[in-house]
């Protein structure tokens, strides 16, 4: 099940999963007749109104819910909390995956500061959204009886970038990138990020972990 399936990441995960012959239920809070999700079964329902019956029988549930303004940002963690509550009684039979925010990566070895604290990366106008992503990660960490995974994209997260199939998995710390600079060129396309999530679903990796998916340095246009 993909919640937020009509979003840009959700769409790509749905299509990639189908290519791997994974049966997918696509959940969205409203209809999008212009979006083709192939053979996916579609459920139109708000994430916070999903019932235990709705989520029963799935190996994996991926929450891609985002919130791009102050009125919707709380959905990032409130919807996740609702899913976790529904799945908690399933005795580890269903994985809960969350697409998260790069702002939550640590910038020091003792993990006391996050990238969000550096306003050169995340200006204060984005604080409402960053706080919501942090709450979602903190929430997942409280569940020892739920097989969750929190996927963090690279700093540059490109909705229009190509599907190269080339990515690597990093941990919880934001470090200088391959060019040895401040990491602001770290890059992954939505397509490669979605590929990493589907690979994890198939391989059942990164249980109760937060991981970062990175392709490399941001491509620069040829002049």
């Amino acid at each position: 099940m993909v919640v937020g399936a009509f979003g840009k990441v959700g769409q790509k995960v749905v299509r990639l999963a189908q290519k791997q012959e994974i049966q997918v239920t696509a959940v969205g809070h409203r209809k999008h007749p212009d979006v083709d999700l192939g053979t996916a079964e579609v459920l139109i329902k708000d994430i916070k109104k999903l019932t235990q019956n709705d989520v029963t029988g799935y190996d994996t549930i991926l929450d891609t819910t985002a919130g791009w303004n102050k009125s919707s940002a709380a959905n990032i963690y409130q919807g996740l909390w609702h899913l976790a509550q529904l799945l908690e009684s399933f005795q580890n039979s269903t994985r809960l995956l969350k697409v998260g925010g790069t702002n939550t990566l640590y910038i020091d070895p003792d993990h006391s500061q996050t990238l969000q604290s550096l306003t050169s990366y995340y200006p204060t106008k984005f604080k409402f959204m960053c706080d919501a992503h942090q709450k979602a990660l903190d929430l997942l960490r409280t569940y020892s009886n739920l097989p969750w995974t929190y996927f963090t994209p690279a700093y540059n997260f490109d909705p229009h970038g190509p599907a190269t199939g080339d990515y690597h998995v990093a941990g919880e710390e934001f470090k200088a990138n391959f060019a040895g600079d401040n990491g602001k060129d770290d890059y992954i396309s939505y397509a490669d990020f979605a590929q990493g999530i589907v690979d994890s679903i198939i391989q059942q990796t990164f249980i109760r972990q937060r991981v970062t998916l990175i392709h490399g340095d941001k491509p620069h246009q040829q002049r």
Side-chain angles (χ1 to χ4, degrees):
M1 175 181 280
V2 178
V3 182
F6 292 98
K8 291 179 180 178
V9 173
Q11 289 181 46
K12 292 184 183 299
V13 171
V14 168
R15 294 185 187 119
L16 283 170
Q18 290 179 86
K19 287 182 179 179
Q20 296 293 329
E21 299 185 349
I22 299 173
Q23 291 184 330
V24 183
T25 296
V27 180
H29 70 280
R30 63 181 179 87
K31 293 182 179 180
H32 294 260
D34 57 322
V35 176
D36 180 11
L37 294 179
T39 60
E41 179 181 346
V42 175
L43 174 62
I44 303 301
K45 204 168 192 178
D46 186 276
I47 185 174
K48 289 178 284 187
K49 294 183 179 179
L50 291 171
T51 66
Q52 198 160 62
N53 185 60
D54 290 328
V55 299
T56 296
Y58 292 95
D59 296 322
T60 304
I61 296 178
L62 168 66
D63 178 14
T64 70
T65 304
W68 299 105
N69 54 57
K70 291 182 179 180
S71 63
S72 65
N75 291 331
I76 293 171
Y77 61 89
Q78 289 178 351
L80 182 68
W81 177 84
H82 181 68
L83 288 174
Q85 291 293 103
L86 293 176
L87 298 177
E88 191 176 15
S89 63
F90 285 9
Q91 299 181 339
N92 290 310
S93 63
T94 302
R95 289 185 67 187
L96 177 58
L97 315 183
K98 177 63 179 174
V99 173
T102 311
N103 63 285
T104 62
L105 291 172
Y106 296 113
I107 58 174
D108 58 338
D110 60 354
H111 293 183
S112 62
Q113 290 184 294
T114 63
L115 189 60
Q116 178 180 341
S117 65
L118 302 180
T119 55
S120 59
Y121 289 81
Y122 287 97
T124 53
K125 66 180 180 179
F126 297 122
K127 186 177 185 301
F128 71 93
M129 185 166 53
C130 291
D131 287 347
H133 280 300
Q134 187 64 59
K135 286 180 180 179
L137 176 57
D138 292 344
L139 170 72
L140 286 177
R141 292 194 196 277
T142 67
Y143 286 89
S144 60
N145 58 345
L146 188 64
W148 58 268
T149 307
Y150 186 95
F151 290 96
T152 306
Y155 182 69
N156 290 280
F157 195 22
D158 184 1
H160 307 296
T164 69
D166 181 16
Y167 68 89
H168 76 271
V169 181
E172 296 208 81
E173 294 181 9
F174 182 82
K175 299 178 180 179
N177 69 0
F178 305 111
D181 57 21
N182 59 10
K184 282 193 173 182
D185 273 351
D186 287 355
Y187 172 91
I188 194 166
S189 67
Y190 278 37
D192 285 342
F193 185 76
Q195 183 66 64
I197 291 174
V198 173
D199 287 346
S200 175
I201 291 171
I202 294 170
Q203 299 162 13
Q204 299 186 43
T205 49
F206 315 122
I207 304 300
R208 296 189 189 93
Q209 295 181 51
R210 182 262 287 281
V211 295
T212 307
L213 302 180
I214 302 175
H215 169 77
D217 289 340
K218 181 171 62 176
H220 295 284
Q221 293 183 344
Q222 298 281 339
R223 291 187 177 181

